[in-house]
Amino acid sequence: MKYTELGNTGISVSRICVGCMSYGKPSDDFLLWTLGQDDTTAMVKCAIDLGINFFDTANVYSHGTSEEFLGKALKDLGVARNKVVIASKVYFNEGKLSATAIRREIDGTLQRLGTDYLDLYQIHRYDYDTPIAETMQALHELVKSGKVRAIGASAMYGYQFHNMQICAEQNGWTKFSTLQNHYNLLYREDERELIPVARQYGVSLIPYSPLASGHLSRPQWDSGSMRSDTDKTMRGKYDHAKDNDMQIVARVAEVARQLGVTMTEVALAWLLQRCVAAPIVGATKVQHFNDAVRATDLRLSADDMAYIEEPYKAHDIVGAL
C-alpha cells in the first residue's frame, strides 16, 4: 500500500480510503443495502490487512450506526487508535453548521466511535443559514481543544470553499486541509473551479463516489443488486446522463481488457493520476478492496487517459446544494 499526507497536516493516510456509508443498520428512510456489524467488522479487517488505514464516515450515515459499527469493529479487532485515521462529518443535523450544532455533534460522533478525538472532521455541505465565521471559529476551537486534528470540506461551489478558507486565514483560524468532493470519470464538473481552488490552498482531494456508484466497475449500467434497485440517491446522481456516460463506461471496459485489469482498477488509477490523494471506496465485498488496492500500482498511459476522458460532456451540478 502507498501512503500520502493530508494537506500539510502531517497525517499519513493510505491512497485508498474506506467509505463507511456502506456499514450500519439498514432503514427505509436511509439505505436498505448496508452491512451489519459482523460483516462490517470483516470488511474493516480486510482493509487493515491490505494496509488501508483511512476510514470515512458521518453522523448521518444509517442514523449514526455507521459510526458505531466502525468504532466497534476497530475495538473488537484490537486496532490501536494511532494506527488508523478516522474521518467523520457534520451538517445533516439540527442546526447544520452553527457553533452549537458543531459542539453537540462532535461529542455524539466521538461517543459513537468510542474515541476521544477525530483525525479529520469535515463539513458535509455548505450552510447558507450560518455565518461562515461562526462555523470556522467553532471548527478551529475543536482543533485547539484536541478533539479534532484537522478539518475538511465536502461538496460545495468553488467560491464557497474559497470564502471559507479566506475567513479562516484572515482570523488566524484552522483552514481546511481536505476536500471530499464528487469526482469521477462520469462527473468532472469540479475541474472548472472547485478543484483548482483546492490546489491553490494545498488541499488534498479525497473524492466520494469514485466509481460513480458502481457504474464504472462493470460494462452494464445496472447490476441487479439491492442497491441498484433501491438507491434513489444513486439514480438521481447518474441516470439522467446515462446515454453519454455509457460511452465512457465502454471505453473504461475496453482499456481494462487491453491491460488485463478490472474496470475498477482503471477508474481509480485515473483519479490517482489526477492528483487525488485517496478516493473513498465504499466496499461491501473483499474483491472490491483487492481491486482498489491494485489500482494504486496501475499507471495509465497518456493515450489511455485521453481516450477514456474524450467522450465526457458537461453535466448538471450534483452534490453542491
Side-chain angles (χ1 to χ4, degrees):
M1 172 55 66
K2 294 178 174 63
Y3 299 85
T4 190
E5 180 182 353
L6 288 182
N8 297 311
T9 64
I11 300 173
S12 178
V13 296
S14 51
R15 295 297 306 277
I16 297 296
C17 177
V18 176
C20 296
M21 191 175 74
S22 303
Y23 313 138
K25 293 180 181 178
S27 60
D28 290 331
D29 61 340
F30 193 75
L31 300 174
L32 290 170
W33 47 269
T34 52
L35 300 185
Q37 183 65 70
D38 290 346
D39 288 331
T40 295
T41 301
M43 291 303 298
V44 170
K45 182 180 186 303
C46 173
I48 290 171
D49 288 346
L50 288 168
I52 300 173
N53 72 341
F54 192 12
F55 297 84
D56 174 78
T57 184
N59 60 350
V60 72
Y61 292 166
S62 294
H63 303 291
T65 60
S66 171
E67 292 177 328
E68 292 175 2
F69 282 21
L70 174 61
K72 188 175 189 305
L74 293 171
K75 180 180 179 181
D76 290 350
L77 292 169
V79 179
R81 179 63 184 86
N82 64 352
K83 297 299 182 182
V84 290
V85 175
I86 302 176
S88 194
K89 310 183 197 73
V90 59
Y91 171 84
F92 291 104
N93 42 256
E94 182 182 352
K96 297 180 180 176
L97 299 181
S98 68
T100 298
I102 287 172
R103 296 185 191 113
R104 179 190 67 237
E105 292 301 319
I106 186 61
D107 288 340
T109 283
L110 294 177
Q111 182 178 20
R112 288 187 291 271
L113 284 165
T115 183
D116 57 2
Y117 71 93
L118 267 187
D119 298 283
L120 177 64
Y121 202 32
Q122 305 155 99
I123 60 169
H124 216 152
R125 291 294 187 273
Y126 181 85
D127 185 357
Y128 291 88
D129 300 322
T130 302
I132 289 174
E134 179 179 341
T135 296
M136 297 309 292
Q137 183 175 19
L139 293 171
H140 175 69
E141 289 172 354
L142 294 185
V143 175
K144 297 298 288 185
S145 72
K147 290 184 178 181
V148 171
R149 295 178 68 192
I151 61 172
S154 190
M156 61 178 65
Y157 293 105
Y159 79 92
Q160 295 169 336
F161 185 77
H162 180 262
N163 287 346
M164 297 189 86
Q165 292 288 68
I166 288 292
C167 177
E169 205 165 50
Q170 290 176 341
N171 288 280
W173 296 331
T174 306
K175 295 195 294 289
F176 294 128
S177 295
T178 63
L179 175 62
Q180 184 178 152
N181 61 318
H182 183 200
Y183 189 38
N184 57 56
L185 273 163
L186 303 188
Y187 185 82
R188 297 168 51 194
E189 297 309 297
D190 286 354
E191 291 177 354
R192 303 175 189 274
E193 293 184 3
L194 184 57
I195 290 175
V197 173
R199 289 177 176 160
Q200 174 185 331
Y201 281 97
V203 166
S204 291
L205 300 180
I206 52 172
Y208 69 87
S209 199
L211 298 173
S213 297
H215 292 307
L216 288 165
S217 66
R218 58 182 180 266
Q220 69 277 5
W221 191 250
D222 293 316
S223 67
S225 67
M226 180 181 289
R227 180 178 185 182
S228 181
D229 293 338
T230 65
D231 192 340
K232 296 178 181 178
T233 300
M234 175 185 73
R235 293 199 173 279
K237 281 193 293 188
Y238 297 112
D239 279 8
H240 65 284
K242 177 180 175 181
D243 290 343
N244 173 244
D245 291 351
M246 277 304 296
Q247 298 176 50
I248 302 169
V249 170
R251 293 196 180 195
V252 171
E254 180 183 347
V255 170
R257 285 194 300 271
Q258 291 173 349
L259 298 178
V261 299
T262 65
M263 291 176 63
T264 293
E265 289 172 70
V266 172
L268 293 179
W270 178 83
L271 276 172
L272 292 167
Q273 287 177 229
R274 299 285 294 186
C275 299
V276 164
I280 298 172
V281 178
T284 55
K285 297 178 181 178
V286 171
Q287 187 59 43
H288 296 165
F289 279 147
N290 289 334
D291 288 347
V293 170
R294 282 197 298 269
T296 64
D297 291 320
L298 178 62
R299 190 73 186 174
L300 299 176
S301 69
D303 286 344
D304 287 337
M305 295 280 285
Y307 182 66
I308 57 181
E309 291 175 2
E310 192 272 333
Y312 186 82
K313 295 181 180 178
H315 285 48
D316 292 339
I317 298 297
V318 177
L321 298 176

